[in-house]
């Protein structure tokens, strides 16, 4: 098994700062969770302020995944403003599997911030959580999302056709993955 080491926060990248959500982040989180265009390819609908309160409580409760099944969701700041979130889920302890995800406010698309923040999540997954393989998945029509996966060096492993009904229509899902040795070789 890999070592499991909680990182020190905040985590700084060239342009961003990543840290656990706090209760003071409600307005920022709601600013994107309430937008239909942001949730178009996500499970669930645009959130009410009360629903954002519930989702923020889940995010603030986990500052590091303590057991499989837990999600780590970090707030991403740019110039002191929270512009999005980046997620690492510990899928399976025995098989050292994880998953990443990302959701940003549309005002901040097109600058590489999701890719920059997700690189941190891959590092946390492989180095701090000792994972062997990290996956990401999205609707095949969500090109902005799978292009992030490709920039991260992830490989398209699957195109699941009609494996579920997504928002009233048959879903088309892409699954991407990267192995620890592929990630180390790409750095
Ligand atoms: C998915 C999502 C985070 C992608 O956002 P994004 O801004 O396109 O992604 P990045 O931050 O990596 O930026 C990449 C874009 O910025 C451009 N860019 C500009 N400067 C860049 C830089 N320094 N580094 C990398 N890319 C840069 C890239 O060319 C790319 O544009 P392109 O896709 O048109 O070629 C965003 O669309 C989103 O939040 N969607 C709603 C939620 C969602 O669907 N999440 C995924 C669920 S599976």
């Amino acid at each position: 098994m890999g070592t499991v080491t909680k990182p020190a926060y905040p985590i700084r990248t060239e342009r961003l700062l990543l840290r656990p959500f706090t209760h003071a982040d409600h307005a920022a989180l709601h600013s994107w969770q309430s937008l239909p265009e942001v949730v178009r390819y996500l499970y669930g609908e645009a959130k009410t302020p009360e629903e954002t309160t519930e989702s923020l409580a889940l995010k603030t409760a986990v500052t590091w995944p303590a057991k499989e099944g837990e999600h780590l969701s970090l707030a991403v700041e740019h110039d002191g403003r929270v512009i999005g979130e980046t997620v690492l889920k510990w899928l399976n302890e025995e098989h050292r599997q994880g998953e990443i995800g990302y959701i940003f406010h549309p005002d901040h698309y097109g600058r590489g911030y999701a890719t920059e923040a997700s690189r941190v999540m891959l590092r946390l997954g492989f180095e701090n959580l000792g994972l062997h393989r990290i996956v990401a998945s999205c609707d095949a029509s969500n090109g902005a999302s799978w292009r992030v996966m490709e920039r991260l060096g992830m490989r398209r492993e699957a195109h699941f056709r009609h494996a579920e009904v997504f928002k009233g229509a048959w879903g088309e899902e892409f699954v991407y993955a990267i192995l620890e040795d592929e990630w180390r070789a790409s750095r």
Side-chain angles (χ1 to χ4, degrees):
M1 295 298 292
T3 50
V4 178
T5 325
K6 183 176 176 176
Y9 298 118
I11 298 169
R12 290 174 200 280
T13 68
E14 199 180 323
R15 299 176 295 175
L16 307 171
L17 182 150
L18 279 63
R19 47 111 179 132
F21 276 90
T22 74
H23 293 290
D25 295 319
H26 187 280
L29 182 62
H30 194 61
S31 73
W32 68 80
Q33 286 198 157
S34 59
L35 299 177
E37 68 195 274
V38 168
V39 302
R40 177 168 173 207
Y41 296 115
L42 304 179
Y43 292 107
E45 301 303 326
K47 293 199 185 334
T48 63
E50 294 72 26
E51 289 168 337
T52 293
T53 303
E54 287 169 24
S55 84
L56 184 58
L58 295 175
K59 294 177 198 306
T60 56
V62 178
T63 58
W64 183 244
K67 55 181 190 297
E68 67 177 30
E70 283 195 357
H71 282 78
L72 171 69
S73 179
L74 297 180
V76 179
E77 287 187 19
H78 179 255
D79 280 347
R81 286 181 58 192
V82 178
I83 62 168
E85 68 178 304
T86 179
V87 176
L88 173 66
K89 184 175 182 184
W90 196 0
L91 290 178
N92 184 294
E93 181 174 2
E94 182 185 359
H95 303 289
R96 296 160 55 202
Q97 305 287 307
E99 180 173 4
I100 58 164
Y102 31 74
I103 306 174
F104 280 69
H105 190 286
D107 286 354
H108 306 279
Y109 292 171
R111 296 181 183 88
Y113 296 146
T115 301
E116 190 169 319
S118 299
R119 285 206 176 96
V120 173
M121 300 317 253
L122 290 181
R123 179 166 56 78
L124 294 183
F126 288 126
E127 290 192 338
N128 296 67
L129 211 48
L131 297 177
H132 179 70
R133 174 174 173 268
I134 297 178
V135 302
S137 69
C138 69
D139 191 289
S141 302
N142 194 355
S145 181
W146 59 255
R147 286 198 298 275
V148 173
M149 298 169 197
E150 296 202 338
R151 276 190 292 277
L152 292 169
M154 303 179 89
R155 288 171 288 99
R156 188 182 297 171
E157 287 193 338
H159 178 175
F160 292 120
R161 304 208 58 206
H162 297 197
E164 63 178 6
V165 174
F166 181 72
K167 300 200 169 174
W170 284 112
E172 298 279 337
E173 184 188 19
F174 283 162
V175 177
Y176 278 73
I178 186 166
L179 303 179
E180 181 186 3
D181 59 358
E182 292 171 330
W183 173 75
R184 289 196 187 280
S186 71
R187 298 184 83 202

